[in-house]
Amino acid sequence: MHARISKNPQAAARWVEAAALNGIVSAQIAWGQMLVDGHGVARDPEAGRRWFDVAAAAGSAEGRNMVGRAFELGWGVAADPARAAGHYRQAAEAGHGWGQFNLATLLLEGRGVPLSRTEALHWYVRAARRGGGEAAAKSATMVGRYLEHGWDRPSRPAAAARWYLRGAEGGDYRGQFDLARLLLERTGRLDLAAPWFTRAVEAGVPAFCRHVGMALRGSPEPTLRQIALRALERAAESGEPEDLRAYGGALAEGLGAIPDAAAAAQFFRRAREAENEARRLAAKGASAVAASSSPASRKRPTALLRAARHALTAAHRARRSITNR
């Protein structure tokens, strides 16, 4: 199912929907996520949440966790961390790794539940010890942070490094970064740390890469400055003006390499274009709001609104016809 959706979501949509309607729980969850994301189908978060409800009602811990995600992130429903925590707890107690991780995160942050680092650690450890998978890797990284920073207990950097290694080997880019940082701080072995920094940058999302780039760009080590340059390049994939400008500045100053004024100018230009486009869209949105609230617009519906009403009436009649059959 995952392969079909990844290869061609539009073509897979009918197949996944049909499987969901036929009671296949994994398809119900996949179809719900496609609706939430608008992946291969028109975006409809409320309908997606309802499919998560269906899977959860069938006894699926993964479905229950996804209902929790809907309440935490406001997918088709008002965001409600307290209700999210209740669903996460049910999934966690059923042994679901992501449910355990998500519940632990709410407990650690005190969102929707009373803050409890001790109970959060309990659930991170349980998720980390479940075996492989992304939830286990991310949970191992969080256990490492408890041990390194001494949250509610004495700091144990050596033990933290072992947990970071579990997270890093499991593919968690934050675990890879934390392991590299701790190795460098404790041993000074750049040859051990640099490969993990590199893996973290290649796996990380743009926002994380921005953090890595800024953290490493001031290093006196040429190897780390080169990694910082690559991190800022990855961050620029976001298309955000500040990321484009930061990477352009790094190219201009020759961070980890020879200065490249021509390439820097291209990124500075892209940053300006992105800012101008953002201003244009903001102005267009403001104009639309002003037009909709003007006295003339309130006197009578526009042709577009009349057409929309006719379409809704026709759709309602069609639904009644289908239901009557």
Side-chain angles (χ1 to χ4, degrees):
M1 186 188 304
H2 178 74
R4 285 193 182 194
I5 294 171
S6 299
K7 184 177 180 180
N8 191 332
Q10 288 77 21
R14 290 183 181 178
W15 178 82
V16 177
E17 182 184 18
L21 289 167
N22 277 281
I24 300 175
V25 174
S26 58
Q28 291 168 348
I29 296 167
W31 181 234
Q33 191 67 66
M34 292 175 77
L35 287 164
V36 166
D37 296 336
H39 190 62
V41 66
R43 189 170 182 273
D44 190 342
E46 185 175 354
R49 179 189 56 78
R50 288 198 297 269
W51 278 108
F52 298 147
D53 286 334
V54 170
S60 167
E62 184 178 0
R64 182 64 61 192
N65 174 69
M66 294 307 295
V67 176
R69 292 293 282 170
F71 277 106
E72 181 184 1
L73 301 176
W75 292 342
V77 68
D80 188 338
R83 294 188 68 178
H87 290 287
Y88 287 153
R89 188 174 293 278
Q90 291 183 57
E93 290 173 348
H96 190 262
W98 277 118
Q100 293 166 346
F101 177 87
N102 292 329
L103 175 60
T105 300
L106 292 186
L107 287 162
L108 181 62
E109 298 172 356
R111 286 194 297 119
V113 288
L115 188 150
S116 175
R117 287 179 170 176
T118 300
E119 189 182 359
L121 177 60
H122 163 77
W123 288 112
Y124 280 133
V125 170
R126 283 191 61 176
R129 287 178 172 167
R130 288 186 71 257
E134 189 178 356
K138 288 183 177 296
S139 296
T141 296
M142 293 305 300
V143 176
R145 290 182 179 175
Y146 267 83
L147 294 169
E148 180 186 4
H149 300 296
W151 292 342
D152 298 336
R153 63 199 61 240
S155 176
R156 297 169 55 196
R162 291 193 292 272
W163 281 97
Y164 285 150
L165 180 61
R166 290 179 66 167
E169 289 180 338
D172 179 35
Y173 55 83
R174 292 184 176 87
Q176 292 163 352
F177 177 83
D178 285 336
L179 175 63
R181 175 184 50 75
L182 194 58
L183 284 171
L184 196 59
E185 291 173 0
R186 288 179 55 81
T187 70
R189 294 281 303 275
L190 181 59
D191 59 319
L192 296 178
W196 287 113
F197 277 133
T198 298
R199 288 179 64 174
V201 167
E202 295 306 322
V205 297
F208 171 80
C209 291
R210 180 189 311 134
H211 164 75
V212 175
M214 294 303 178
L216 299 182
R217 68 177 301 162
S219 171
E221 291 288 346
T223 299
L224 293 182
R225 292 199 302 274
Q226 188 67 46
I227 294 172
L229 180 65
R230 173 58 179 157
L232 293 174
E233 181 182 15
R234 289 285 334 280
E237 293 174 6
S238 71
E240 295 293 331
E242 60 268 29
D243 290 329
L244 294 167
R245 190 169 287 108
Y247 182 52
L251 290 170
E253 70 181 65
L255 179 65
I258 299 172
D260 190 339
Q266 292 181 8
F267 280 90
F268 290 145
R269 183 170 59 254
R270 286 178 59 188
R272 288 194 300 272
E273 291 171 351
E275 287 174 335
N276 291 336
E277 178 64 11
R279 292 193 194 98
R280 186 188 70 79
L281 291 175
K284 183 177 179 180
S287 298
V289 170
S292 65
S293 61
S294 68
S297 67
R298 290 194 294 268
K299 285 182 180 178
R300 61 182 181 278
T302 63
L304 182 61
L305 287 174
R306 286 196 297 271
R309 288 178 180 174
H310 289 316
L312 286 171
T313 301
H316 178 66
R317 289 172 179 166
R319 283 197 301 271
R320 289 179 61 188
S321 175
I322 291 171
T323 303
N324 291 339
R325 292 197 191 98

